[in-house]
Amino acid sequence: MNDHGTLCPTAYKQQQGLKYNAPNAQGNPMWSTITIDTILKNRVYVGDMVQGRQRVKSYKIHIQEKVPEEEWFIVENTHEAIIDRETFAVVF
């Protein structure tokens, strides 16, 4: 991605005029393996809508907790995918 000149999320947000600074990005922000790994493991990028991954423990405390994947609300093919399902299956 870096060799092809594709902007990483930090650089893209800065190019769009947003005042965004990633905590670990210094100078010229680049794609990291962690960012690519996160994208390749996220069902949103294969065109699925995923909701309910977190919930608030208490409305008074505002602490969020992770929800087990079997309790997520997933609707497949709600938008155009940027990763094909075969690649997703290999990575995940």
Side-chain angles (χ1 to χ4, degrees):
M1 304 281 282
N2 293 320
D3 293 341
H4 292 287
T6 305
L7 294 176
C8 70
T10 300
Y12 177 79
K13 290 173 186 175
Q14 290 172 345
Q15 183 189 47
Q16 298 300 311
L18 299 172
K19 293 182 180 181
Y20 179 81
N21 290 316
N24 297 325
Q26 298 175 2
N28 184 20
M30 300 181 76
W31 283 95
S32 70
T33 54
I34 294 171
T35 303
I36 295 171
D37 183 62
T38 302
I39 290 171
L40 290 175
K41 291 180 179 177
N42 190 335
R43 289 187 65 165
V44 170
Y45 293 99
V46 293
D48 298 343
M49 180 187 69
V50 181
Q51 293 182 326
R53 291 188 282 188
Q54 297 178 354
R55 64 177 155 232
V56 177
K57 256 185 172 177
S58 165
Y59 73 93
K60 292 181 180 180
I61 302 173
H62 302 288
I63 295 175
Q64 293 187 348
E65 61 184 5
K66 291 185 177 184
V67 175
E69 189 170 347
E70 52 272 0
E71 295 180 27
W72 294 357
F73 298 100
I74 300 171
V75 181
E76 294 184 351
N77 302 316
T78 58
H79 55 276
E80 185 178 352
I82 62 170
I83 300 172
D84 59 86
R85 292 196 184 272
E86 294 78 25
T87 303
F88 181 78
V90 169
V91 174
F92 202 70

